[in-house]
Amino acid sequence: MWGILGAAVEIMFRGVNPINLDAKGRMALPARYRETVKSHCEGRMVVTIDPEDSCLLLYPQPEWDEIQAKIIALSGFNKSVRRIQRLLIGHATDLELDANGRMLLPAPLRDYAELDKKIILLGQGNKFEIWSETLWNSTRDEYLQAENDEEIPAELQALSL
């Protein structure tokens, strides 16, 4: 999406949002994000698996299109690249917000992320992560309990919190 002066307008998703999946596997996007998603990508989103964690990644269509183009451009002769291409692109599924702001998460992806009734929608800037509430809580607790002697990248050390 482009702003008044022709510069790209960046969307920003943040926060921890507890959500309930309905019996059909639909999740309602929180109301505070709906207008942004509708205006930015006409309600079109893409969901795929996170190959590193048992969660899903939910992108607005334009952001996913950029990522997919970069992944496809990588050499398929590299085994690691092929693995990522197969996992991310192979599981990518187009979604669309319905009139009630809901999206149907495909059963195979719900199974991968161990999603049941209670889920967490975690804002990550240009995308969301979708976690099982139980798995997110345990992962978050692991992060909070992590040793302080882990190597912190210089870019993070330069931030003032």
Side-chain angles (χ1 to χ4, degrees):
M1 174 166 254
W2 296 92
I4 296 171
L5 300 177
V9 174
E10 192 169 317
I11 56 172
M12 187 60 62
F13 302 125
R14 58 180 155 245
V16 177
N17 305 274
I19 298 175
N20 289 326
L21 281 180
D22 70 12
K24 295 180 180 178
R26 294 177 298 197
M27 62 163 264
L29 190 66
R32 68 184 181 144
Y33 302 117
R34 289 181 196 167
E35 204 49 51
T36 300
V37 168
K38 286 179 185 175
S39 65
H40 181 69
C41 59
E42 298 173 354
R44 293 187 323 265
M45 307 281 286
V46 175
V47 66
T48 191
I49 66 170
D50 182 327
E52 303 300 322
D53 289 302
S54 294
C55 70
L56 303 179
L57 305 174
L58 179 64
Y59 291 90
Q61 183 78 50
E63 277 68 28
W64 172 253
D65 290 345
E66 288 180 26
I67 291 166
Q68 180 172 288
K70 290 175 184 177
I71 293 169
I72 289 171
L74 299 172
S75 172
F77 288 112
N78 181 304
K79 210 173 194 178
S80 295
V81 168
R82 274 196 324 273
R83 179 178 86 73
I84 294 297
Q85 288 171 331
R86 288 174 177 155
L87 290 172
L88 288 175
I89 297 171
H91 286 92
T93 305
D94 295 325
L95 303 178
E96 195 162 336
L97 283 179
D98 68 14
N100 295 317
R102 298 174 304 191
M103 293 175 278
L104 176 63
L105 298 176
L109 299 186
R110 291 193 316 265
D111 292 343
Y112 170 82
E114 302 174 32
L115 302 180
D116 52 20
K117 184 162 178 67
K118 294 183 177 226
I119 65 172
I120 296 293
L121 185 69
L122 189 68
Q124 293 292 289
N126 69 330
K127 68 180 179 292
F128 292 105
E129 292 178 352
I130 303 171
W131 289 81
S132 128
E133 183 180 72
T134 303
L135 191 53
W136 168 247
N137 287 339
S138 66
T139 301
R140 180 205 56 212
D141 292 347
E142 285 176 27
Y143 291 159
L144 292 171
Q145 300 295 324
E147 294 292 324
N148 289 331
D149 59 10
E150 289 182 17
E151 179 87 17
I152 297 175
E155 299 85 5
L156 286 177
Q157 291 179 10
L159 292 177
S160 174
L161 297 178

